[in-house]
Amino acid sequence: MSNRYDSRESCNFYYKIGACRHGDKCSKRHVRPSRSHTIVMYNMLYFPAGGLDNSRFDELYEDVYIEACRFGPVRSMVICENGNDHLKGNVYIHFESEEDALRARDSFNTRWFDERPIYCDLTHISDFRDAICRKHDTRACERGDECNFMHVRRPSTKLRIDLEKSQAKKWHTRTP
Ligand SMILES: [Zn+2]
Ligand SMILES: [Zn+2]
């Protein structure tokens, strides 16, 4: 369907969070960016009913992060542990360059992760601060699965620092 004459207003959730609970049935417009620094992989991580323990989560985080770094410097990576369908297991990766984000999207879209096909798209997000549920960070979000903001699951500090260091080294050596 062409959006050329679409007068609906743009969906704030799709714009700010890259995902909206109404999906294609949303009464507002979901306008895909044609260029962006950030990609999203919808429902990429599977969180079993009992949850993921920290070491398994770190393993998965490392796996995805290292894969993303092959395309170029990564500024940040965010994984959602929301329980609702539109945010559950979403992985967002903010690259330093739009070209790298585009190449990463095209490549991830041809691949599988944990026996499921990856569905990857560009997203408008350039700053996660507007998208993250702050209350979840202190386990105080009362909205639970109704919350439309990102409930971020973070890796251990040690892993995060190790990954950032190894990435800095990798991209430094490639720059003359
Ligand atoms: Zn929407
Ligand atoms: Zn929340």
Side-chain angles (χ1 to χ4, degrees):
M1 188 185 78
S2 162
N3 275 334
R4 198 160 293 169
Y5 297 103
D6 198 329
S7 59
R8 294 176 299 167
E9 61 179 303
S10 164
C11 173
N12 217 9
F13 285 112
Y14 183 78
Y15 196 83
K16 273 166 57 178
I17 291 135
C20 149
R21 67 169 59 242
H22 304 297
D24 292 342
K25 297 197 176 70
C26 187
S27 60
K28 300 188 175 157
R29 288 173 71 189
H30 289 185
V31 185
R32 279 199 171 79
S34 52
R35 298 183 67 80
S36 177
H37 290 270
T38 314
I39 61 169
V40 52
M41 292 184 270
Y42 293 106
N43 308 127
M44 186 185 194
L45 255 65
Y46 174 70
F47 287 91
L52 272 180
D53 66 41
N54 289 341
S55 63
R56 177 69 180 143
F57 179 77
D58 270 10
E59 249 174 56
L60 294 169
Y61 188 97
E62 181 175 14
D63 189 340
V64 179
Y65 190 98
I66 287 173
E67 204 52 39
C69 286
R70 292 176 43 227
F71 298 97
V74 167
R75 226 175 252 174
S76 53
M77 180 167 113
V78 164
I79 296 180
C80 298
E81 59 175 351
N82 300 64
N84 49 33
D85 288 343
H86 69 295
L87 290 169
K88 180 167 45 188
N90 286 5
V91 179
Y92 297 83
I93 301 167
H94 184 190
F95 287 94
E96 282 206 16
S97 104
E98 291 183 340
E99 286 70 31
D100 294 340
L102 210 56
R103 286 190 304 117
R105 181 202 60 183
D106 292 343
S107 169
F108 278 122
N109 264 333
T110 64
R111 301 175 59 188
W112 292 57
F113 185 77
D114 248 0
E115 298 177 5
R116 291 178 304 141
I118 295 173
Y119 177 56
C120 184
D121 219 342
L122 296 174
T123 172
H124 295 280
I125 300 172
S126 58
D127 186 341
F128 289 105
R129 281 175 296 187
D130 284 346
I132 289 173
C133 174
R134 288 290 156 206
K135 284 189 152 184
H136 180 71
D137 283 338
T138 55
R139 304 282 143 189
C141 176
E142 309 94 10
R143 295 182 61 83
D145 292 353
E146 295 300 310
C147 186
N148 285 317
F149 291 88
M150 296 175 181
H151 287 182
V152 178
R153 172 85 176 251
R154 292 185 172 80
S156 65
T157 309
K158 182 186 181 308
L159 176 66
R160 185 176 54 76
I161 292 171
D162 284 354
L163 289 175
E164 281 167 6
K165 270 191 199 153
S166 64
Q167 146 161 303
K169 205 169 150 197
K170 171 182 165 95
W171 291 108
H172 181 73
T173 50
R174 282 193 47 167
T175 326

